[in-house]
């Protein structure tokens, strides 16, 4: 007679403890991983994640273009800019060297930047 049939409660208790231990260990490992990432106190009107991040090279208002990593991106005429210090600002507040998070969407079959958020310098993406 196999031992499992002879001592079923001992077998199931052992399996339960083993699975519980693995689950507990993996959840602790994940929580340590999250805690090791730097946290930033961003305003409540900021999203949890950003579609893209970049450092502003230049904003060209007459052409509605933003230069990021030496590439020109069209900016939607109704684009929204959010600063760390104020929820709504004009695009003229964009300055060279400013770290931003931004999102893009298709308008009239053309991808444009439609929303931007000023970010702390520490959130700058690695240089290309």
């Amino acid at each position: 007679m196999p031992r499992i049939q002879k001592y079923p409660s001992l077998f199931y208790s052992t399996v339960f403890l083993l699975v519980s231990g693995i689950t507990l260990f993996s959840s602790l490992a994940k929580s340590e991983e999250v805690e090791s990432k730097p946290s930033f106190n961003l305003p409540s009107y900021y999203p949890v994640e950003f579609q893209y991040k970049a450092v502003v090279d230049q904003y060209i208002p007459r052409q509605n273009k933003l230069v990021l990593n030496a590439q020109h991106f069209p900016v939607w005429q109704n684009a929204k800019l959010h600063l760390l210090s104020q929820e709504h600002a004009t695009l003229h507040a964009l300055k060279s060297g400013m770290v931003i998070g931004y999102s893009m969407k298709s308008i009239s079959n053309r991808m444009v930047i439609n929303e931007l958020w000023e970010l702390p310098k520490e959130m700058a993406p690695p240089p290309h």
Side-chain angles (χ1 to χ4, degrees):
M1 177 188 272
R3 290 184 186 181
I4 294 173
Q5 290 178 348
K6 195 171 183 182
Y7 303 105
S9 62
L10 179 62
F11 172 75
Y12 291 116
S13 297
T14 304
V15 169
F16 175 77
L17 288 173
L18 183 62
V19 169
S20 298
I22 291 171
T23 304
L24 178 64
F25 179 73
S26 67
S27 66
L28 287 174
K30 283 186 180 180
S31 68
E32 287 177 11
E33 181 180 309
V34 170
E35 289 173 11
S36 68
K37 292 180 182 176
S39 63
F40 300 97
N41 270 340
L42 297 176
S44 60
Y45 48 88
Y46 274 48
V48 175
E49 293 183 11
F50 300 94
Q51 190 176 15
Y52 304 100
K53 291 180 193 174
V55 177
V56 174
D57 292 336
Q58 181 183 13
Y59 173 57
I60 308 168
R62 289 184 181 158
Q63 298 176 16
N64 259 1
K65 292 199 184 243
L66 190 58
V67 183
L68 307 169
N69 298 322
Q71 295 181 341
H72 291 249
F73 291 88
V75 179
W76 185 40
Q77 63 189 14
N78 296 324
K80 297 175 187 173
L81 173 63
H82 309 281
L83 301 177
L84 292 166
S85 60
Q86 90 190 66
E87 187 170 356
H88 301 288
T90 66
L91 295 176
H92 293 286
L94 290 168
K95 304 291 179 214
S96 295
M98 181 184 280
V99 179
I100 60 166
Y102 64 98
S103 62
M104 297 186 78
K105 72 178 187 178
S106 178
I107 298 176
S108 301
N109 293 324
R110 184 174 158 214
M111 291 301 290
V112 295
I113 295 175
N114 68 308
E115 197 159 7
L116 307 99
W117 297 267
E118 175 189 21
L119 299 176
K121 297 272 185 206
E122 299 81 22
M123 290 183 72
H128 292 193

